[in-house]
């Protein structure tokens, strides 16, 4: 039969072949268009129970987002109009359901739905298949093997490492004080958290705070930039188009530098551990770092992680850890500058606990309760990760009876929930006492989830909170922070919550005699 079809094709003239080619192309085009419209109809049906903002027939509401510092306020204004959730249409054929009610959050986060592939595809090209990206059985296996790396015995020595990195940053700030010019926080804090995490991840002394031109440091920052850039530019969502572009060339060059650096560190560490495969033997010589934990980890069958898996987890720890913490610290310092009465209380607490010491000890961390409350309140108003995404692998029905089918893309908006009047009293007011034990005891379990919740909560949240407390305490021990009235930050969601125009404060050196 196949031979007869071929003979028939060879007997056709060129004009007839072209005719059939055009016919087949038209059929294929009709098929693809039909699929698009059927998908759009299915999506309309799935989201029909959820009213939302009026949308343009072609753009949806995508054209309303300007990336000028007003987008999050726009989304929050929609959240105040619609109960619990609303669909956000990016064009007429693609939509997410934004949810921002604690019961909706709980229903979704208590499941094992995977993260949206579109949102994490660009990040996975950098960090590989680490905990942030993995799903299913392999995620569970990695999570179980990595959990010992965040035990308090491992985290305890990191506090001194954090103190050292913070002090490097503060020494730089002392040199800037005589200039009497506002300091942009995020750049300095991000270098500090990168410095810290490289020391804690694989004991690497990068000196990045004083030498940000280091090839690896530049590569890390370039890669973060390209993830944000691809997310915001629709033409670069296509891998083929991006890879052919000048940006794609720069991305691959930076990725090569970053991966070669990580691979070389792993190779050297594996060589040094050949004679000391047991964690206890290593602990007798020095404190463990994250790489030690990864190289010594074994599953129930005695099988360790592959080199590829180890690199993915190290890169995940690096990229997922330093910018999120930098965002939280920067916005907390901004809040304390804006509300001097709370800054003063944190300063008094830091001086009482630390005295003249420039290093925070493990035992000090629990003696900073007011500082911790200020950090939590700052993360409520300015969540480092304003939203997370899920793709429903099974249908779901919410407490109010509304349902979503399998395959629906959902955005869990912590930003909108944290500013919702139905969840928080006076949500726009900065009030750290919301997080006092007595005020927190009756709060909904999912009304405040800065580190997500459920099985996929952030494995590094204790590490992050420790670093925040160390940074805030040491900073307020040395400096008073005042707002720059001419440069109010304008929020923008990228990989983390940033400001379009930076986060600027004025620094004044504190008198040690006070």
């Amino acid at each position: 039969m196949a031979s007869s079809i071929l003979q028939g094709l060879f007997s056709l003239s060129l004009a007839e072949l072209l005719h059939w080619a055009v016919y087949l192309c038209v059929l294929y085009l009709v098929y693809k268009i039909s699929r698009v419209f059927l998908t759009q109809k299915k999506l309309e049906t799935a989201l029909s129970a959820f009213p939302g903002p009026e949308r343009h027939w072609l753009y949806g509401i995508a054209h309303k987002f300007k990336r000028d510092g007003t987008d999050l306020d726009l989304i929050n204004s929609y959240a105040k109009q619609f109960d619990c959730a609303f669909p956000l249409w990016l064009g007429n054929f693609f939509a997410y359901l934004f949810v921002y009610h604690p019961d909706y959050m709980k229903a979704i986060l208590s499941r094992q739905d995977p993260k949206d592939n579109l949102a994490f595809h660009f990040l996975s090209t950098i960090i590989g298949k680490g905990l942030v990206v993995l799903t299913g059985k392999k995620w569970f296996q990695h999570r179980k093997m990595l959990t010992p790396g965040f035990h308090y015995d491992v985290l305890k020595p990191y506090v001194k490492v954090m103190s050292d990195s913070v002090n490097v940053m503060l020494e730089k700030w002392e040199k800037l004080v005589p200039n009497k010019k506002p300091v942009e926080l995020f750049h300095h804090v991000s270098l500090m958290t990168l410095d810290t995490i490289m020391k804690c991840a694989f004991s690497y002394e990068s000196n990045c705070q004083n030498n940000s031109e280091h090839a690896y440091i530049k590569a890390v920052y370039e890669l973060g930039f390209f993830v944000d850039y691809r997310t915001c530019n629709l033409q670069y969502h296509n891998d083929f188009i991006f890879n052919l572009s000048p940006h794609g060339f720069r991305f691959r060059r930076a990725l090569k530098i970053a991966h070669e650096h990580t691979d070389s560190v792993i190779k050297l560490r594996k060589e040094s551990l050949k004679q000391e495969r047991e964690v206890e033997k290593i602990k007798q010589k020095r404190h463990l770092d994250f790489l030690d934990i990864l190289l010594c980890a074994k599953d129930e069958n005695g099988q360790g992680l592959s080199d590829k898996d180890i690199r993915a987890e190290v890169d995940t720890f690096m990229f997922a850890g330093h910018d999120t913490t930098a965002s939280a610290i920067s916005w907390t310092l901004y809040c304390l500058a804006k509300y001097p009465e709370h800054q003063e209380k944190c300063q008094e607490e830091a001086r009482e606990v630390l005295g003249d010491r420039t290093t925070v000890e493990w035992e000090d961390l629990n003696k900073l309760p007011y500082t911790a409350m200020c950090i939590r309140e700052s993360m409520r108003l300015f969540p480092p990760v304003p939203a997370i995404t899920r793709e429903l692998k099974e249908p779901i029905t919410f407490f109010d009876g509304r349902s979503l089918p399998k395959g629906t893309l959902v955005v869990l908006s912590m930003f909108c929930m944290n500013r919702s009047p139905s969840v928080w009293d006076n949500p726009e007011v900065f009030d750290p006492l919301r997080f006092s034990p007595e005020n927190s005891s009756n709060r909904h379990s999912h009304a405040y989830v800065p580190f997500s919740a459920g099985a996929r909560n952030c494995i590094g949240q204790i590490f992050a909170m420790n670093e925040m407390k160390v940074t805030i305490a040491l900073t307020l021990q040395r400096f008073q922070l005042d707002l720059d009235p001419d440069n109010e930050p304008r929020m923008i969601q990228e990989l983390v919550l940033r400001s379009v125009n930076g986060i600027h404060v004025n620094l004044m050196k504190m008198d040690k005699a006070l």
Side-chain angles (χ1 to χ4, degrees), residues 269-323:
R269 182 64 59 82
K270 287 181 75 172
E271 288 294 321
S272 70
L273 292 180
K274 277 184 177 179
Q275 304 302 318
E276 299 173 307
R277 295 300 298 174
E278 296 179 14
V279 169
E280 290 305 317
K281 289 183 179 179
I282 302 166
K283 286 171 69 175
Q284 291 173 10
K285 292 191 173 184
R286 57 176 172 81
H287 76 261
L288 296 172
D289 61 26
F290 187 59
L291 184 53
D292 290 322
I293 302 295
L294 290 172
L295 289 169
C296 295
K298 296 283 189 296
D299 63 17
E300 59 273 14
N301 299 316
Q303 185 68 37
L305 295 167
S306 69
D307 286 355
K308 184 178 180 181
D309 286 339
I310 291 171
R311 185 179 75 186
E313 296 301 353
V314 169
D315 287 342
T316 296
F317 190 43
M318 288 284 300
F319 281 92
H322 91 271
D323 251 11

Side-chain angles (χ1 to χ4, degrees), residues 133-192:
V133 177
L134 285 173
T135 58
K137 185 178 179 180
K138 192 168 183 181
W139 170 84
F140 180 79
Q141 180 191 48
H142 278 223
R143 176 83 179 208
K144 187 176 180 181
M145 293 170 73
L146 268 59
T147 296
F150 296 92
H151 188 274
Y152 76 90
D153 282 339
V154 176
L155 296 177
K156 189 174 181 179
Y158 290 169
V159 176
K160 183 181 185 307
V161 175
M162 294 168 181
S163 297
D164 291 342
S165 294
V166 173
N167 283 320
V168 172
M169 179 182 74
L170 299 180
E171 290 294 333
K172 289 170 61 181
W173 287 4
E174 291 214 5
K175 295 174 184 176
L176 296 175
V177 168
N179 297 337
K180 295 184 178 180
K181 292 181 180 179
V183 173
E184 199 288 305
L185 293 175
F186 203 104
H187 173 70
H188 290 277
V189 175
S190 181
L191 283 173
M192 182 274 292

Side-chain angles (χ1 to χ4, degrees), residues 118-119 122 226-234 236-237 495:
L118 176 65
F122 306 141
F226 282 123
V227 171
D228 288 330
Y229 194 74
R230 288 192 72 179
T231 302
C232 300
N233 289 271
L234 291 178
Y236 282 161
H237 283 199
L495 276 178

Side-chain angles (χ1 to χ4, degrees), residues 47 50 65 72 75-76 79 82-90 95-101 104 386-387 389 409-416 493:
L47 300 176
F50 299 90
F65 296 112
L72 283 169
I75 291 174
N76 196 38
F82 306 102
D83 290 337
C84 303
F86 72 87
L88 192 152
W89 289 85
L90 302 175
Y96 286 96
L97 183 73
F98 261 68
V99 306
Y100 36 84
H101 188 282
Y104 273 55
T389 58
L409 299 177
V410 179
V411 173
L412 290 84
S413 177
M414 279 78 82
F415 183 87
C416 292
Q493 179 174 351

Side-chain angles (χ1 to χ4, degrees), residues 74 76 137 172 207 221 244 312 331 342 352 373 405 430 436:
L74 176 64
N76 196 38
K137 185 178 179 180
K172 289 170 61 181
N207 193 33
Y221 276 99
L244 288 178
W331 287 107
H342 298 298
E352 182 178 340
M373 289 191 292
F430 184 82
S436 65

Side-chain angles (χ1 to χ4, degrees), residues 253-267:
R253 182 176 59 189
L255 189 63
K256 183 172 184 288
I257 291 169
H259 282 178
E260 284 180 349
H261 178 272
T262 307
D263 288 341
S264 67
V265 170
I266 293 170
K267 183 179 178 181

